[in-house]
Amino acid sequence: MFKKKPNIKPLSPLRSSDRRKIADQIIANYGIEVPKNETVEAEGDDQTSTAIGLGALRNSLLPDNSLSARFTTTAGPNLKQVSGTIYVGAHPGEEQRILWIKHEERLYPTVYTLWHNPRIVPLLHTPEVVLRKLRGGADLMTPGLARGPPFPSKATKDAVVAVASLENPSVPMVVGACEIDVSALRQVQGAKGHAVRGVHWDGDEVWAWSTSGKPGGNAPEHIEGWDIEDEASDMSREVEGLHLEDPEEAPENGQDDGGVALDGTTERAHNDFVDGEDAPPYEKVDVEDKELSTKGNETFLPPGGFHTNDINPEIDEIFRKSFLYGLQHHKNTRKDDPHHGLEFPIPQSLVVSNLILPYLPISTPAQATSLQIKKTSWKNAKKFIKTMDKEKLLKSKDRSGGETVVMDIDFEDHAIVDFIPYRLPKKDTSGADTGGVGGSKAIAAGGSSSDDSVGQQLKKIVLFRPKEKLAPIFEASNSSVKHLYLPAELRPIITSYIETENLVSTTNKRLVNLNPILANAVFDGRSSMDREVLAKGSVPRDALIERILESCSPFHAILRNEESRDEVKAKAGQAPKVQIVLETRSGNKTVTKVSGVEAFYINPQTLAEELQKACASSTSVGQLVGSSPKNPVMEILVQGPQKDVVCTALEKRGVNRHWIEVADKTKGKKR
């Protein structure tokens, strides 16, 4: 259906009530069992246990801060018009992707949803050579079915199913709908007709879509929950009920006829795991490789299911150790600096984003979901700082507006000096001097270690292209009006023309006498100043140069790091600015909208992720209303009045304050 790129309208945030309603509809339609919290269930509170499990399941199927948008496309040989709704969300540690497709009142999961939610639909298999055809838009024919009969009992007519290859049987790559009752098939050899109609697959335009413009995500090597080895017992029971009518027609030489071996043995085509995956990613200090949670909070532990435990003190201890780790790391790596690389006062948002989050021992999405400040006993950064103040680790101060800042840190405290650091999970980073923290330079700057825009140097240059009517002026110095010039380059060209034509006034060398070319090309007589200059017959040299600049077409170029002017293609018009808009929504709630960062080599999605951590609030990325679908401009929406935090994040990426324009609509004025 999505072999051709669909036309997607601007995304809009999904209300929490609508998100829960859609998630409940998915659970009901697909018959998904709601997991229960073992700890709460053991205490005899079944209702609370079910509520916790339901919340976790909803978040897994359709995460918080999900977005929705209408789409239109064409499908089939007759290019039939197809329309529907897409639901966009981000699983922990990943960027926003299309998770669900609603077409004709039916919700189809995408491969991104299936990779995080095993067994929500029946899984069928086919050889890799056939799967390649399916990923090109073809339907799966009945003879192409493998590893059966028997087939999954839920693979009935019109049921939504997933398809994986025999070579990688635990990773769904195609989503479709059954054209026939596949579960009732007792033989596929010699059968004819369509078995599964393809709707979406790994490699189509839905898979490739993202808010940041990055290509689609790579499929995992292996997914535990989809592992067909786990279904061996169920399959063997169904095999016992089968009866082979004609044993004489059994395939010779052990060739496979599309069925399964009755002994139940199955060999994997290749190793399911990447090299080195059996080794632990880091040395742990009282941190188990599992999801951590607080009692009553909704959590998600992929891929093996859902789990919650009452271990609030453990999360508190992890956050405290991460804070000590961050302080010790700054002390050891910046010994010559009196403040060890920190600038006081430190806002509470930067304490979390710079001194805690980069040092959390996170290696799985489940841990990333659990290790959040809101799931500690402090609930927010302010209370955490107050606690550290009581322990004499730092000095804090309350400011107007309810914000708490750190005024000083005691780097000689025994808790910091005696802290034993642990090894953090490895992260992809270009620097070799990270000190084991996955990009210390980026972290010191308050950004992500994978964000190459952090620390970049930007230079904005203004260029001018002369119009054709100015050609005689430029020909005098063998210059072309088709080239772009800096203001400093235009002055000698104009001076050369003045001297060549002997236009310097004999009474005042600062004045230039007008000739017919200057009078017609530069001064058109429309303004009072033009009429005055034409009447006098002369003009000051600086005023003439300024007027010629105004007659030229403006261009601009933004140079990054060591780029030269010749390496960057200049764009027409005035240089852009990052737009920050503060406005009020839903009564008294303030939101901050940021747009135009792409021109400064900044990925909107990556910046939104940092702002989410720095502001300790929700963020979303969607297409700016009114921007071109071919060249979309993305808009970041941050909850709360976060102008200063946004400006700080932009400055770390080389954006000058003069290149930022702030419009505060909450006060009805622009500044």
Side-chain angles (χ1 to χ4, degrees), residues 179-243:
E179 293 282 325
I180 61 174
D181 188 353
V182 176
S183 65
L185 291 174
R186 290 296 177 260
Q187 182 178 351
V188 296
Q189 187 179 21
K192 296 181 180 180
H194 295 250
V196 178
R197 180 186 78 257
V199 175
H200 153 70
W201 55 88
D202 173 275
D204 69 1
E205 291 296 338
V206 164
W207 166 86
W209 183 94
S210 73
T211 54
S212 62
K214 291 183 179 179
N218 295 325
E221 293 286 330
H222 174 78
I223 303 176
E224 295 264 347
W226 282 110
D227 196 337
I228 55 98
E229 295 293 335
D230 297 337
E231 303 175 2
S233 59
D234 297 335
M235 299 285 279
S236 62
R237 284 195 296 269
E238 296 188 43
V239 169
E240 292 175 359
L242 294 178
H243 178 65

Side-chain angles (χ1 to χ4, degrees), residues 3 36 92 97 154 293 310 321 375 417 496 619 643:
K3 192 173 183 179
K36 293 186 178 181
R97 296 287 184 182
K154 290 186 177 181
S293 66
D310 188 11
K321 287 184 175 180
K375 294 190 177 183
V417 175
S496 175
T619 61
K643 178 197 67 174

Side-chain angles (χ1 to χ4, degrees), residues 309-320:
N309 287 319
D310 188 11
I311 49 176
N312 194 314
E314 186 176 351
I315 298 182
D316 289 0
E317 184 63 17
I318 292 172
F319 266 78
R320 185 179 183 277

Side-chain angles (χ1 to χ4, degrees), residues 528-549:
S528 58
M529 176 185 173
D530 285 6
R531 291 191 290 271
E532 182 181 348
V533 169
L534 292 173
K536 290 182 178 179
S538 62
V539 64
R541 186 188 300 253
D542 291 341
L544 174 63
I545 295 174
E546 188 68 26
R547 188 55 187 269
I548 292 177
L549 284 177

Side-chain angles (χ1 to χ4, degrees), residues 182 299 360 408:
V182 176
T299 54
L360 289 173
D408 193 15

